Amino acid sequence: MENATDFGALKNMGYVKVLCDDLEKMKCFYNDIFDFHIEDEEPGLRVGCRVGTLFLGLRPRGRAYDGQSAPTNSASIQLSFRVSPADVDIAYESLSSKGIKVIERPTNQD
């Protein structure tokens, strides 16, 4: 049996923070494209929305320990959102119709 204080006892991630070079642009992306409801916001400082059980936080890059921005030709971060297999093509078409460039088309994978 796992010790309740071990990290092995963790079952879900509850909070992810994404560092942004353009907070307003990222806010619009998640709110307008994915229709994620903005749950918490301090204009110019932070934006938060709930995605299922996960809280997705956005904040501008700017603290000494944030490091440099990713190169413009780099994805920098990959977030995956679970979609039922029956809805994958619908989600892909929805993103494409909103002008989002999808790097790789959905494929069936073992």
Side-chain angles (χ1 to χ4, degrees), residues 29-83:
F29 177 76
Y30 286 108
N31 187 239
D32 298 346
I33 302 299
F34 287 101
D35 201 26
F36 293 166
H37 173 74
I38 304 299
E39 185 175 294
D40 180 45
E41 179 175 10
E42 190 171 347
L45 297 177
R46 62 183 166 78
V47 174
C49 50
R50 181 129 341 252
V51 183
T53 60
L54 177 78
F55 187 81
L56 178 63
L58 309 172
R59 80 160 171 81
R61 184 181 299 280
R63 296 179 183 164
Y65 53 82
D66 288 346
Q68 296 181 345
S69 299
T72 56
N73 62 348
S74 170
S76 174
I77 187 172
Q78 177 180 338
L79 299 174
S80 298
F81 302 101
R82 187 174 294 216
V83 177

